[in-house]
Amino acid sequence: MSASLRMAAAMPPGWRDRFRTWREGLTASPGFRRWAAGFPLTRPFARRRARALFDLCAGFVYSQVLLACVRLHLFDLLEHGPATEAALASRTQLPPEALQRLLRAAAALDLLAQREDGRWALGPLGAAMVGNPGIAAMVEHHALLYADLADPVALLRRPRGGNALSGYWAYAGATAPQALGRDSTQDYTALMAASQPMVAEEVLAAYDFRRHRCLLDVGGGSGAFLAAVAAAAPDLRLMLFDLPAVAEQGRERFARLGLEGRASVHGGDFTADPLPEGADLVSLVRVLHDHDDAVVLALLRRVRAVLPKGGRLLIAEPMSATAGAEPAGDAYFGFYLLAMGRGRPRRPDELQALLAEAGFSGARLLPTHTPLLTRVMVADAGH
């Protein structure tokens, strides 16, 4: 046992821990649970706890209902108005009884809703799926994660990597990532590009890029984030750095958008190669949590080395211990990155400590509209 653990074990528990021990001891008592379920004042609490525990157990089924709706394009079919079961059965090629089972399941999850005339329409959560291909792409992509989580204990015990999700993120287990070809990188690059507009919207609402002259996006994929920033900051020069096969897709995107005159593309491996100079702002969007601490620290030092005096770093990614989104940090991303083969979700203070060790100062969080989706941290290069 480490010294810190021995010290923690020797400290007497505080009143909060004593209260929690007492409370959970009561909850663990079958007799108390029966009483709480029947007593009018405690019955609502008992029911909510039972529902929460059931939802944990049934969560995989709920996610598969969502996946079935996505694969059958139900949200797209209902985008322009309600439809009858007969019409939906014809479009989805499902037997009527199977379709009705799916429709009722989706309605129970607020994905769909049945009108008084019997027709089916979008529910509040299904409506949020319309026009948002990034969410649908992520839902489909999770089939790989669920395969890896079929035996979570085995996943925890085995060495990281060598499973379905780590194979999808080809760079996660590659000994020479810069040598990966387009066939190994295009699927995950397309997924990141599809989901990037949601993140870019959050970042652009939190930070004004017009104060800078040149932005270098490290690990920027095929340039979807830079394209969004380009529209918001027309005078900003753009630089993209990613693996050669991925960066080439960025070059193609910039050509399609007519951005060749203000965007340059650089191929390389940011875990080993020097970064290009010339930017006064560097962004790391959904990059750091994919890597372990040693890689992150080395990358932060490379970033600081190419920033001029007064330069700034912007980090955008989901973070652990986010108020109101705690399960997304340590539960979801903790196990997603385990299956991916490397990286971990980090609390803001853990990122601030890494930034300070790399020589940055003034690391601070900026408010975002949807912290569950992404948080934004900026830090100054100093020099």
Side-chain angles (χ1 to χ4, degrees):
M1 181 183 295
S2 68
S4 59
L5 288 177
R6 287 195 299 271
M7 184 179 298
M11 292 176 60
W15 68 267
R16 288 188 180 86
D17 288 335
R18 292 197 301 271
F19 173 75
R20 292 189 185 105
T21 299
W22 171 80
R23 181 188 62 191
E24 305 312 336
L26 278 179
T27 303
S29 166
F32 177 80
R33 288 200 298 268
R34 286 193 296 271
W35 174 84
F39 185 60
L41 294 180
T42 57
R43 187 183 301 144
F45 300 99
R47 288 178 176 176
R48 281 199 296 270
R49 183 164 288 195
R51 165 67 188 271
L53 189 58
F54 180 83
D55 284 346
L56 284 176
C57 179
F60 177 74
V61 178
Y62 301 162
S63 69
Q64 296 305 91
V65 171
L66 174 60
L67 177 59
C69 291
V70 167
R71 287 184 171 174
L72 292 168
H73 307 288
L74 276 176
F75 307 124
D76 298 328
L77 293 175
L78 296 171
E79 178 181 0
H80 300 294
T84 64
E85 287 188 17
L88 292 174
S90 174
R91 297 294 298 275
T92 62
Q93 296 297 297
L94 283 182
E97 182 181 353
L99 174 67
Q100 187 177 83
R101 189 182 299 269
L102 175 60
L103 295 174
R104 289 182 176 180
L109 299 175
D110 286 333
L111 294 167
L112 302 179
Q114 189 171 26
R115 297 288 181 86
E116 292 180 0
D117 62 4
R119 294 183 301 163
W120 289 89
L122 293 170
L125 297 184
M129 298 285 295
V130 173
N132 206 333
I135 299 179
M138 290 299 292
V139 170
E140 183 69 50
H141 161 72
H142 274 67
L144 296 171
L145 175 62
Y146 299 150
D148 288 340
L149 288 176
D151 188 342
V153 175
L155 183 65
L156 287 163
R157 285 177 171 161
R158 60 175 287 178
R160 298 181 70 178
N163 44 283
L165 198 62
S166 61
Y168 178 85
W169 298 101
Y171 63 83
T175 55
Q178 67 273 22
L180 291 172
R182 190 166 187 143
D183 57 339
S184 301
T185 60
Q186 63 183 358
D187 286 347
Y188 77 72
T189 300
L191 174 67
M192 292 298 287
S195 58
Q196 197 69 282
M198 298 183 292
V199 177
E201 183 178 350
E202 295 282 327
V203 178
L204 287 168
Y207 191 79
D208 184 2
F209 288 82
R210 293 173 299 178
R211 70 183 72 178
H212 297 279
R213 55 177 176 77
C214 183
L215 166 64
L216 166 64
D217 191 25
V218 177
S222 61
F225 178 74
L226 282 177
V229 175
D235 295 326
L236 187 69
R237 289 195 298 111
L238 313 168
M239 300 170 69
L240 172 68
F241 187 92
D242 211 312
L243 298 174
V246 178
E248 185 57 34
Q249 296 176 61
R251 192 187 310 277
E252 295 168 4
R253 179 188 298 275
F254 296 148
R256 289 195 305 270
L257 297 175
L259 293 172
E260 313 103 302
R262 54 186 288 210
S264 61
V265 175
H266 307 265
D269 176 6
F270 63 64
T271 68
D273 299 328
L275 301 178
E277 298 182 357
D280 61 329
L281 175 66
V282 173
S283 57
L284 295 167
V285 181
R286 296 190 292 179
V287 168
L288 296 186
H289 66 354
D290 285 359
H291 299 276
D292 296 329
D293 286 357
V295 174
V296 168
L297 182 58
L299 173 58
L300 293 177
R301 286 172 171 156
R302 284 190 179 89
V303 169
R304 184 172 181 270
V306 299
L307 278 170
K309 183 177 181 179
R312 180 167 289 175
L313 168 64
L314 182 145
I315 298 167
E317 63 184 36
M319 297 181 192
S320 181
T322 295
E326 292 85 353
D330 285 315
Y332 171 78
F333 280 106
F335 271 74
Y336 185 99
L337 295 170
L338 171 67
M340 181 177 168
R342 63 188 191 186
R344 66 181 181 89
R346 293 179 179 87
R347 301 188 309 270
D349 65 294
E350 292 176 307
L351 283 172
Q352 288 168 331
L354 286 166
L355 286 164
E357 190 172 353
F360 287 90
S361 62
R364 57 206 178 275
L365 283 171
L366 303 180
T368 55
H369 296 316
T370 314
L372 179 148
L373 179 62
T374 191
R375 305 190 77 179
V376 173
M377 179 176 289
V378 294
D380 300 318
H383 291 297

